[in-house]
Amino acid sequence: MKLLIPSQCIELTGEVQRVLLLAEQQGFAIGHIELGVSPTPYLQLVGDTTLSLSCNWFTHVQPDADWVLHYGAAAKDLPAIHVHDGWIFIGEEPHQGRVIDRWQHSDEVRRLLQVKTLEPADCWRHLAWVLACLSLDFPIEDALVLSRAALNVSRETWPCDYRHFPQPQTQANLSAFPTLTPESLGVYPVVDDVRWIAQLLPLGITTIQLRIKDPHQTDLEQQVIEAIRLGREFGAQVFINDYWQLAAKHGAYGVHLGQEDLQTVDLNVLLENNLRLGLSTHGYFELLRIHQLAPSYIALGHIFPTTTKQMPSKPQGLVRLALYQRLLDSMPYGDAVGVPSVAIGGIDALNAEQVLACGVSSIAVVRAITEAKNVAAAVDTLQHILASSLASAKERSNVVG
């Protein structure tokens, strides 16, 4: 990966290097990122593809760049013919006392709200963070979130505290979903047939998810009904993936939804039926936006490559997972602080200990159980790893305390 900076703003190089070294301290690999001088008026990220950026702090804005950052300018201040989907407005005039960062994402206008108005010196630092985050393969929305949060901490600090982060603007105005204790989640199998639930609950599994991918499966509703019945029989937390109408209709314990499901789900129906809600996330922006819905738990993934589901994002890896968890640990949750979390994606007995060392509450597993030669032994091994991890974490906490 090459990050090329035009000579007109070569002073950015030092700021970017500072951010990359800070990222390295968190555990990110930066050896593959090479800084250089751009032969064009654009900032360029050159890898498998080339991404170009421009900025209104440059002598000449390049309006055809993939991303154009406008600091302190609003769309209404610019010729409409020049505005396109790749333009990002940083620090627009206050809205209800809060400053707005705004950009277009597909058919959605995304906004970040924050209190701080940018000073000129902040703009270079913000831009350096955007560039460094993009070179670390963060998507643009996460780069913008981190860049704003970085302005609220010292230059030697990677932002991790919820209080330092901007808030995505949402229409959410809901009551909180029922809370869970992190310890109650345990090893969390995700299975595609209720027969797995019948087999796993007697083995001591306390949380499980029924994820049937085909909405036209003829026995779909019957499977949901039986899963709910088994959950009640064993006193287990059974979550139904996707089919929230059926879950509400038959009185399920909880529902798990993905980002795309939030476009169609009626969250008020889930609240009225006292369902617990788990939500999938894939980065900082989604974490912050989802938190405003006050779910029962937040899933983080996918951590490692997985073949069980087509994923819209790249594997997050352990470094990102640990950073997301630190953010979750600082988030309000009911009357406490710290949102229960579930790591998912490619997790098995070989890597579970590393995943749990990142501080997550639970590990979701699929093939580690469904493809095991001895299912009972696989469950026992994973539960032992989880118990050992929790005991070690408690011991460390007592030492610190």
Side-chain angles (χ1 to χ4, degrees):
M1 167 70 73
K2 291 184 178 180
L3 174 52
L4 305 179
I5 298 174
S7 56
Q8 62 178 304
C9 55
I10 201 65
E11 62 267 31
L12 266 176
T13 303
E15 284 285 353
V16 172
Q17 286 176 326
R18 186 194 302 270
V19 179
L20 289 175
L21 289 173
L22 182 58
E24 186 178 40
Q25 293 172 17
Q26 313 312 308
F28 286 101
I30 66 169
H32 66 291
I33 301 172
E34 177 185 344
L35 299 181
V37 178
S38 175
T40 74
Y42 303 96
L43 295 155
Q44 291 183 303
L45 285 162
V46 182
D48 295 334
T49 59
T50 297
L51 179 72
S52 61
L53 294 90
S54 188
C55 170
N56 66 331
W57 281 74
F58 295 175
T59 305
H60 299 290
V61 176
Q62 305 299 318
D64 58 340
D66 295 302
W67 295 106
V68 180
L69 279 72
H70 283 271
Y71 287 94
K76 63 181 177 60
D77 300 324
L78 301 167
I81 193 171
H82 288 156
V83 178
H84 64 75
D85 288 351
W87 283 25
I88 302 168
F89 300 94
I90 306 295
E92 286 190 327
E93 59 190 45
H95 171 74
Q96 297 180 348
R98 306 185 81 179
V99 179
I100 296 175
D101 297 345
R102 176 173 59 86
W103 69 100
Q104 188 81 22
H105 177 84
S106 299
D107 296 329
E108 172 192 3
V109 176
R110 291 185 166 179
R111 296 179 176 87
L112 293 175
L113 304 180
Q114 51 269 310
V115 175
K116 185 174 182 178
T117 301
L118 289 179
E119 300 296 332
D122 293 330
C123 297
W124 284 116
R125 187 176 169 199
H126 181 278
L127 181 56
W129 267 85
V130 170
L131 294 172
C133 289
L134 290 175
S135 68
L136 292 167
D137 217 17
F138 281 102
I140 187 65
E141 59 267 25
D142 286 358
L144 293 171
V145 163
L146 278 169
S147 300
R148 268 296 187 172
L151 300 180
N152 296 320
V153 297
S154 73
R155 290 179 181 272
E156 294 75 31
T157 302
W158 187 278
C160 289
D161 192 309
Y162 174 71
R163 295 170 297 179
H164 296 143
F165 280 80
Q167 295 302 306
Q169 187 178 46
T170 70
Q171 302 301 318
N173 187 21
L174 301 167
S175 301
F177 283 86
T179 59
L180 301 171
T181 60
E183 298 79 11
S184 72
L185 289 166
V187 175
Y188 186 168
V190 178
V191 298
D192 60 2
D193 193 286
V194 73
R195 288 174 292 184
W196 277 109
I197 298 178
Q199 181 178 354
L200 292 170
L201 294 188
L203 298 178
I205 291 295
T206 57
T207 306
I208 196 165
Q209 182 184 135
L210 179 64
R211 183 174 72 186
I212 297 175
K213 297 178 183 179
D214 182 5
H216 305 295
Q217 186 167 315
T218 55
D219 65 342
L220 173 62
E221 186 165 7
Q222 288 70 30
Q223 290 226 22
V224 169
I225 292 171
E226 178 62 6
I228 294 169
R229 187 195 69 77
L230 286 166
R232 290 172 180 163
E233 178 182 341
F234 286 91
Q237 301 175 154
V238 176
F239 286 84
I240 307 300
N241 185 289
D242 287 352
Y243 307 109
W244 59 271
Q245 298 99 327
L246 290 177
K249 175 182 176 181
H250 297 292
Y253 178 85
V255 171
H256 182 93
L257 300 175
Q259 291 287 312
E260 65 282 357
D261 300 313
L262 294 176
Q263 305 300 319
T264 56
V265 66
D266 187 338
L267 294 175
N268 285 307
V269 170
L270 305 185
L271 284 166
E272 290 164 4
N273 286 275
N274 200 39
L275 270 68
R276 283 75 178 167
L277 176 64
L279 290 170
S280 296
T281 62
H282 313 90
Y284 281 105
F285 181 85
E286 291 181 0
L287 268 175
L288 292 164
R289 182 170 63 174
I290 288 305
H291 179 255
Q292 296 180 54
L293 302 179
S296 306
Y297 73 81
I298 291 178
L300 307 168
H302 58 300
I303 309 307
F304 304 111
T306 177
T307 60
T308 60
K309 184 179 180 182
Q310 190 71 28
M311 302 302 296
S313 58
K314 297 179 180 179
Q316 299 295 320
L318 295 172
V319 175
R320 279 176 168 79
L321 176 62
L323 292 172
Y324 299 154
Q325 184 60 45
R326 289 171 67 185
L327 175 57
L328 283 173
D329 286 342
S330 68
M331 286 179 163
Y333 180 70
D335 296 328
V337 175
V339 180
S341 59
V342 178
I344 187 169
I347 299 171
D348 56 29
L350 297 177
N351 56 36
E353 188 173 352
Q354 292 175 289
V355 173
L356 289 164
C358 295
V360 296
S361 310
S362 171
I363 48 173
V365 289
V366 185
R367 290 180 298 161
I369 286 179
T370 61
E371 295 183 6
K373 293 181 179 179
N374 186 325
V375 172
V379 169
D380 185 65
T381 297
L382 289 165
Q383 288 179 325
H384 176 74
I385 293 171
L386 177 60
S388 297
S389 174
L390 292 176
S392 297
K394 185 175 182 180
E395 185 176 327
R396 289 193 300 271
S397 177
N398 290 337
V399 170
V400 172

